[in-house]
Amino acid sequence: DGQLIATGGDDGKVKLWNASTGFCFVTFSEHTGPVNQVVFSSKGNVVVSSSLDGTVRAFDLVRYRNFRTFTSPEPTQFTCLALDNSGEMVVAGSLDPFEVYVWSLRTARLLDVLSGHTGPLSGVLFNPAHPYLISSSWDKTVRIWDVYNRKVAVESLDHSGEVLCVAVRPDGDQVCSADLTGQLYFWDPQDGTLEGTIEGRKDIMGGRRRDDAREAKNATHSLAFTSLCYSADGKCILAGGNSKYVCIYHIQQRVLLKRFEITNNLSLDGILTYLNSKNMTEAGPLALIDDEDGGSGSDKEDFKDNSLPGAKRSDFSKRKTPLVARTKCVKFSPDGRQWAAASTEGLMIYSLDQNLYFDPQDLDMEVTPENAQILLEEKQYAKALVMALRLNEQKLLKTMAETVPMDEILSVVSSIPVHYIERILVLIGEGINSSPHLQFYLTWVQTILTIHGKSLEKKFHENVKHSSIGT
């Protein structure tokens, strides 16, 4: 339903986030290696993750526990994951050997092993409308399998470069794949014909690296997409990769609709566009020169590896190389009004809805739903409502607003900060359409317009002015 987001990290942790509030409310730490993909079941009560530690794990979202662990007969590292439409079959692709493993979610028994690829698997997914499994690999092919009848690959779609990711349209009648040459390929999965391509090398071209002796436009890296996702209506494709940009294309017209810049953090590699000759020396880029004589004793200690021999996890805060700006995964919400990107800067959510608002600077340890309920029981209605607004949980916010007595609405509205008034009006508008308490909500509207009418009118004129300047 688009309310929850599941992420997996290089630290081996699987996290669940609330999309509307931005809070992480569950963390699973059973994996001992980097997690490269997480998938929800069709019913939304199970999330499955694959990891380089050689396991695929299923987590129960009701009891919040790891209830299934899938392994292969021989130790291998899993790179991609998929669930069928019924949620009964788990499929994972491996790094080496180049095989696809099929398990039963109920019994955790290995059902089949699909062989045929000659390179590491980069993606697997089920066709939502047809009984086929689609896999992509570094062997420059996308293969379509009939896993239910245990047949060999039905179709092999050849590419000009190593295939990095694959996606299928919601109606199942089109498959999109991206290869190392920076192109997007659109295929008809029924007959295996190529419908068209999009050249995306220039669109995803990011900044230069610190060790580059050339500008970003002449760089040879970060010129391919590593994650694809169709929009809910199937008209657009969202693409991200090893770059600071995420692109949205219109499929039928084959044009770039918009390019999002996920970060401007100069501490990350791959941000700057132009080459600064002042930072270039005869020995190479100035940032890569390790001046041991000029460093202090404490600086040298920072570069020592003090991890214990045989430790499975190193200290991820001790980095000798800078992080690179990139997007590892992009996904649309089921309704198509939001999309999320897992990037170097963190989990980023883009939305068309104006009521999605999250400000971490407005939160502290005391801002919790439990404390909001306590304030409500103590009849501190204004504080309880403001705390609910800071949490941005719609159910809690509606409960707080409807609990305020009519004779207290005036004092509550007077205590609410001005920047929260628009969100209160949106909540009241939804309540007028769905609630029988019409007089109660109209009292809210009258009080808000009486107290904050001038500020709302001023903000409205400012928005009109800015929009007219933009056009």
Side-chain angles (χ1 to χ4, degrees):
D1 56 359
Q3 296 298 318
L4 302 180
I5 300 176
T7 61
D10 291 340
D11 57 357
K13 295 180 180 179
V14 176
K15 295 177 179 289
L16 294 179
W17 307 78
N18 189 314
S20 60
T21 63
F23 284 120
C24 172
F25 61 92
V26 176
T27 300
F28 301 106
S29 56
E30 281 77 8
H31 283 293
T32 58
V35 179
N36 43 46
Q37 191 163 0
V38 290
V39 178
F40 278 102
S41 65
S42 57
K43 296 181 180 179
N45 58 349
V46 175
V47 63
V48 185
S49 60
S50 62
S51 171
L52 295 180
D53 64 0
T55 63
V56 174
R57 297 178 182 270
F59 300 95
D60 184 2
L61 300 188
V62 178
R63 298 178 178 87
Y64 299 116
R65 62 186 179 91
N66 176 208
F67 70 97
R68 289 285 186 275
T69 301
F70 310 93
T71 57
S72 58
E74 298 293 334
T76 184
Q77 293 180 311
F78 297 110
T79 57
C80 48
L81 176 69
L83 282 176
D84 69 338
N85 301 329
S86 63
E88 299 294 333
M89 190 179 295
V90 181
V91 175
S94 63
L95 187 65
D96 186 19
F98 318 130
E99 296 174 337
V100 180
Y101 297 88
V102 183
W103 297 276
S104 170
L105 182 61
R106 290 182 177 272
T107 63
R109 187 171 64 91
L110 182 63
L111 301 178
D112 200 358
V113 179
L114 306 178
S115 302
H117 282 292
T118 58
L121 275 295
S122 59
V124 290
L125 51 87
F126 280 92
N127 193 311
H130 306 285
Y132 297 122
L133 173 70
I134 303 170
S135 63
S136 61
S137 171
W138 293 1
D139 62 2
K140 301 182 181 181
T141 64
V142 170
R143 294 176 182 266
I144 302 176
W145 312 79
D146 189 357
V147 292
Y148 297 99
N149 295 324
R150 296 190 177 183
K151 295 182 179 180
V152 296
V154 177
E155 193 74 42
S156 179
L157 311 178
D158 296 328
H159 296 67
S160 57
E162 289 78 1
V163 184
L164 303 179
C165 54
V166 65
V168 62
R169 203 165 63 184
D171 60 3
D173 292 335
Q174 189 181 75
V175 173
C176 179
S177 57
D179 66 359
L180 199 58
T181 64
Q183 293 190 28
L184 298 180
Y185 297 80
F186 298 94
W187 306 86
D188 185 350
Q190 299 300 319
D191 52 13
T193 58
L194 181 63
E195 297 180 347
T197 61
I198 294 179
E199 177 61 53
R201 290 175 63 90
K202 294 183 179 180
D203 299 331
I204 200 176
M205 186 180 295
R208 54 177 295 274
R209 304 283 177 86
R210 298 187 183 185
D211 55 351
D212 286 344
R214 62 191 71 180
E215 295 183 354
K217 64 180 180 179
N218 298 323
T220 57
H221 54 73
S222 301
L223 300 180
F225 297 106
T226 59
S227 180
L228 299 172
C229 184
Y230 276 91
S231 61
D233 56 4
K235 296 181 179 179
C236 301
I237 189 77
L238 184 66
N242 295 327
S243 168
K244 62 178 180 178
Y245 294 112
V246 175
C247 304
I248 296 183
Y249 294 95
H250 192 280
I251 298 175
Q252 185 176 2
Q253 299 179 4
R254 306 284 195 270
V255 295
L256 176 68
L257 296 180
K258 189 173 179 62
R259 190 170 67 163
F260 297 88
E261 188 173 3
I262 60 174
T263 180
N264 288 314
N265 188 355
L266 296 180
S267 65
L268 299 177
D269 217 352
I271 298 296
L272 296 177
T273 303
Y274 298 103
L275 178 65
N276 189 349
S277 59
K278 295 181 180 179
N279 297 328
M280 297 299 297
T281 64
E282 295 180 356
L286 189 62
L288 300 180
I289 298 178
D290 185 12
D291 187 7
E292 295 185 356
D293 297 333
S296 61
S298 60
D299 293 335
K300 295 180 181 179
E301 291 292 332
D302 293 338
F303 286 92
K304 290 184 178 180
D305 188 6
N306 297 322
S307 59
L308 296 175
K312 294 182 179 180
R313 298 185 186 179
S314 60
D315 187 357
F316 288 98
S317 65
K318 300 289 185 180
R319 299 188 181 95
K320 299 181 181 179
T321 56
L323 290 174
V324 180
R326 60 174 179 170
T327 303
K328 297 191 68 174
C329 183
V330 290
K331 290 290 182 182
F332 265 107
S333 63
D335 59 1
R337 297 189 60 83
Q338 306 172 44
W339 62 271
S343 66
T344 311
E345 285 284 77
L347 178 61
M348 315 181 82
I349 303 176
Y350 294 79
S351 175
L352 295 174
D353 300 326
Q354 300 296 326
N355 60 344
L356 290 177
Y357 175 81
F358 174 64
D359 187 5
Q361 297 180 353
D362 207 20
L363 300 174
D364 52 45
M365 296 297 293
E366 296 181 356
V367 181
T368 62
E370 291 77 11
N371 290 339
Q373 292 289 348
I374 293 174
L375 291 174
L376 188 63
E377 294 175 358
E378 295 176 354
K379 297 184 179 181
Q380 300 184 32
Y381 302 109
K383 292 183 178 180
L385 184 59
V386 171
M387 188 172 291
L389 287 167
R390 293 166 70 181
L391 289 169
N392 197 25
E393 293 189 2
Q394 297 301 317
K395 292 183 179 179
L396 180 63
L397 187 58
K398 185 177 181 180
T399 301
M400 296 297 171
E402 292 184 346
T403 312
V404 178
M406 293 188 64
D407 55 351
E408 294 287 339
I409 292 179
L410 179 61
S411 61
V412 170
V413 172
S414 302
S415 305
I416 297 177
V418 179
H419 61 274
Y420 286 136
I421 295 300
E422 292 186 8
R423 294 168 57 197
I424 289 291
L425 289 175
V426 172
L427 177 67
I428 293 173
E430 295 176 354
I432 291 176
N433 293 328
S434 59
S435 176
H437 309 295
L438 183 60
Q439 183 180 358
F440 175 76
Y441 281 107
L442 290 178
T443 305
W444 271 97
V445 174
Q446 182 181 5
T447 307
I448 290 174
L449 294 179
T450 302
I451 298 176
H452 299 285
K454 291 185 178 180
S455 60
L456 292 174
E457 184 180 4
K458 182 179 178 181
K459 190 171 183 179
F460 171 76
H461 288 304
E462 290 179 354
N463 293 336
V464 172
K465 182 179 179 180
H466 290 315
S467 62
S468 61
I469 292 176
T471 55

